[in-house]
Amino acid sequence: MGQESRTKFFYTKQQLAKLIWPLLLEQFLAVTMGLADTFMVSSVGEAAVSSVSLVDTINVLVFQILSALASGGAVVVSQYVGQKNTERTKKCAAQLYSVLLISTIALMAVAAAGSRSMLRFIFGRIDDNVMAFAQTYFLISAVSYPFMGAYNAGAALFRAQGNSKISMKASLVMNVINIAGNALLIYGFHMGVLGAALATLAGRIFAAVWVTLQQQKADNPFRIDQISDLKPERQHIRPILSIGIPSGLENGMFQIGKLCVSSLTAALGTSAIAANAVANTVATVANIPGNTMGLAVIPVIGQCLGAGDKNQAKYYGKQLMKTAILGLAAANILVWLFIPGITEIFHLSQAAKIMCIDVIRLFDIFSIFFWALSFTLPQILRSGGDAKYTMSVSILSMWIFRVVLSYFFVLKMDMGLMGVWLGMCIDWICRSIFFLIRFCGGKWMEHHVI
């Protein structure tokens, strides 16, 4: 490493491992919750699986926005940690809670007031039994939004300290509650989709309460000392939103684009919806290594840049990207090999099973080469404050390639569900090119976040 070998590193290999392994397990557990809902609800029938899948596209939109805001707070706090500015760190921690709680309560109110009309507007005409299940799942999901806001705020702050064990432990118990609740309410009390929604809500309530209690321990340097600290203050919210708003818009427009494509998928019939639901769940499992590194880069890169060390920021960026690509390669190879067996456990029809295997194997090939460059790499850029660039590239690529090409492939080329996934893969290629050029150029490190 030359000069790097004589530099005092912010993170040793042991410290990186201590940060990454709990994040990896947490991501696996988060995916397991969605997998458990899809798998257990599948016993009720394809209409139930379809309804959960459709609502989860909305939930993912909400949670992506929350994650973007939390990441904005984590970037700012991480840079203050690197700068060793304890006072500013505490103030930003309290303001992050305020931003997320206000946002999620507003989202819950909107969702509760217009659940049916929102579902009709987004997904168009779907079967009545799918709509009934979807409305039930959506209403209860909306109640969980403020709890997920509190959980995301606390988890982001612990990660900014390099402590990823807290959110991992919360995720572990949240999943135990969810799976046990599913077993009791779906299989024991035959409550179907309602049972799955209630079990998920219970797990999220626990996670929010437990992480918040850990946040408020006396030995936590980021604890909120008094309620008045939560009063919104522009000077401390502004840097959080300077990262969070572009990232939130990026994630929001990305998910809205996916919703547009979901309405296209819904028009292909219940078998296509069910195949897409299972394929999305499996793909999310394969993405775990990339998502893990996307979370890990925030405290690592943030602290380096907070201390003004651009060389280490770029060095760690390269190392974490290599780890992400290797992890994705291993995960996708395993998925390719086992996807025929995986489809058997979801009670899919033969037509849905064939569609699911075909689109997942297309996904596996492109994911190995382009997923980390499309989604992990922009997290590195955002950690340097380059959120507007990643937003612009992501939104344009999403709408020009994924949305437009999906409609072209499905409606003009008659490619069915495969056309939707091919449009997605072409979108990744475009993103990868622009993000890689930006990273190599180094301009992403020239922003002043704090």
Side-chain angles (χ1 to χ4, degrees):
M1 290 187 296
Q3 184 179 355
E4 290 163 350
S5 62
R6 298 189 295 273
T7 302
K8 181 180 180 181
F9 288 102
F10 282 89
Y11 283 84
T12 64
K13 290 182 179 180
Q14 292 76 17
Q15 288 172 323
L16 281 176
K18 189 177 179 181
L19 172 68
I20 290 169
W21 282 110
L23 286 175
L24 183 65
L25 180 56
E26 180 186 348
Q27 288 298 296
F28 177 77
L29 292 169
V31 170
T32 301
M33 179 176 285
L35 188 64
D37 280 350
T38 304
F39 173 66
M40 292 181 165
V41 168
S42 68
S43 64
V44 183
E46 282 194 352
V49 174
S50 299
S51 67
V52 171
S53 169
L54 292 175
V55 172
D56 274 346
T57 60
I58 301 175
N59 286 337
V60 168
L61 167 61
V62 173
F63 297 149
Q64 288 283 0
I65 293 172
L66 296 184
S67 177
L69 292 171
S71 295
V75 168
V76 175
V77 170
S78 295
Q79 292 205 12
Y80 277 131
V81 170
Q83 205 179 69
K84 303 187 185 303
N85 191 330
T86 305
E87 181 182 354
R88 290 280 187 175
T89 298
K90 286 177 70 75
K91 287 184 179 295
C92 283
Q95 294 302 296
L96 178 59
Y97 266 96
S98 297
V99 168
L100 284 172
L101 288 175
I102 291 169
S103 302
T104 51
I105 291 170
L107 286 169
M108 178 184 68
V110 171
S115 59
R116 187 175 183 85
S117 58
M118 288 175 67
L119 292 170
R120 283 290 185 208
F121 176 76
I122 294 169
F123 300 114
R125 183 67 190 173
I126 55 178
D127 294 342
D128 289 340
N129 55 343
V130 175
M131 172 57 78
F133 284 139
Q135 190 172 8
T136 297
Y137 195 75
F138 186 34
L139 283 170
I140 297 174
S141 294
V143 176
S144 75
Y145 292 166
F147 297 102
M148 289 305 292
Y151 168 78
N152 273 277
L157 292 173
F158 278 111
R159 292 182 196 125
Q161 300 177 58
N163 181 357
S164 54
K165 288 185 178 179
I166 297 295
S167 55
M168 181 270 289
K169 291 176 181 177
S171 186
L172 175 61
V173 180
M174 179 165 53
N175 275 265
V176 170
I177 293 171
N178 182 53
I179 293 172
N182 279 339
L184 176 64
L185 299 177
I186 296 175
Y187 300 140
F189 290 95
H190 307 289
M191 294 174 68
V193 170
L194 174 61
L198 290 173
T200 301
L201 173 62
R204 289 171 177 167
I205 290 173
F206 165 82
V209 172
W210 191 76
V211 169
T212 302
L213 289 175
Q214 297 300 308
Q215 164 71 20
Q216 288 303 104
K217 282 189 172 181
D219 60 346
N220 186 357
F222 295 174
R223 74 187 301 270
I224 300 169
D225 295 322
Q226 47 195 5
I227 296 295
S228 61
D229 292 340
L230 294 172
K231 181 181 178 181
E233 297 180 16
R234 181 181 299 177
Q235 68 181 100
H236 297 120
I237 288 180
R238 186 184 294 114
I240 295 174
L241 297 185
S242 71
I243 305 295
I245 287 181
S247 298
L249 285 173
E250 175 187 336
N251 291 343
M253 293 300 292
F254 179 76
Q255 292 302 324
I256 289 170
K258 288 183 70 175
L259 288 175
C260 292
V261 174
S262 293
S263 66
L264 181 64
T265 304
L268 296 173
T270 301
S271 292
I273 297 174
N276 193 58
V278 174
N280 277 321
T281 301
V282 174
T284 304
V285 174
N287 290 340
I288 287 174
N291 281 321
T292 298
M293 292 303 111
L295 291 172
V297 300
I298 295 174
V300 176
I301 304 298
Q303 289 186 32
C304 291
L305 293 178
D309 195 328
K310 296 179 182 179
N311 289 331
Q312 285 205 52
K314 197 161 188 175
Y315 167 75
Y316 282 120
K318 290 178 180 178
Q319 296 304 311
L320 292 171
M321 278 296 297
K322 288 177 185 177
T323 305
I325 292 170
L326 290 173
L328 286 166
N332 280 281
I333 289 170
L334 289 174
V335 168
W336 176 285
L337 294 174
F338 292 105
I339 188 60
I342 293 171
T343 58
E344 294 290 338
I345 67 175
F346 281 98
H347 308 286
L348 295 175
S349 63
Q350 187 62 27
K353 201 178 298 181
I354 293 170
M355 282 189 281
C356 183
I357 293 172
D358 288 344
V359 298
I360 277 295
R361 284 187 164 165
L362 175 74
F363 167 88
D364 289 332
I365 295 170
F366 280 87
S367 179
I368 291 172
F369 297 101
F370 297 106
W371 199 94
L373 293 172
S374 299
F375 298 101
T376 306
L377 184 56
Q379 280 288 75
I380 295 174
L381 306 185
R382 291 185 201 105
S383 298
D386 204 15
K388 290 182 180 178
Y389 178 84
T390 62
M391 175 190 71
S392 301
V393 170
S394 297
I395 291 175
L396 289 173
S397 180
M398 174 73 186
W399 287 93
I400 293 173
F401 293 99
R402 183 177 301 202
V403 176
V404 173
L405 286 181
S406 292
Y407 275 81
F408 175 76
F409 289 146
V410 173
L411 300 180
K412 298 296 183 181
M413 303 293 290
D414 198 26
M415 294 177 66
L417 187 61
M418 179 64 75
V420 173
W421 285 66
L422 181 58
M424 174 187 73
C425 293
I426 293 173
D427 169 35
W428 293 355
I429 296 173
C430 175
R431 291 165 182 265
S432 297
I433 293 169
F434 281 93
F435 292 145
L436 189 57
I437 291 172
R438 188 73 162 185
F439 177 77
C440 293
K443 192 173 180 180
W444 59 280
M445 295 184 287
E446 302 300 325
H447 299 271
H448 298 285
V449 177
I450 58 175

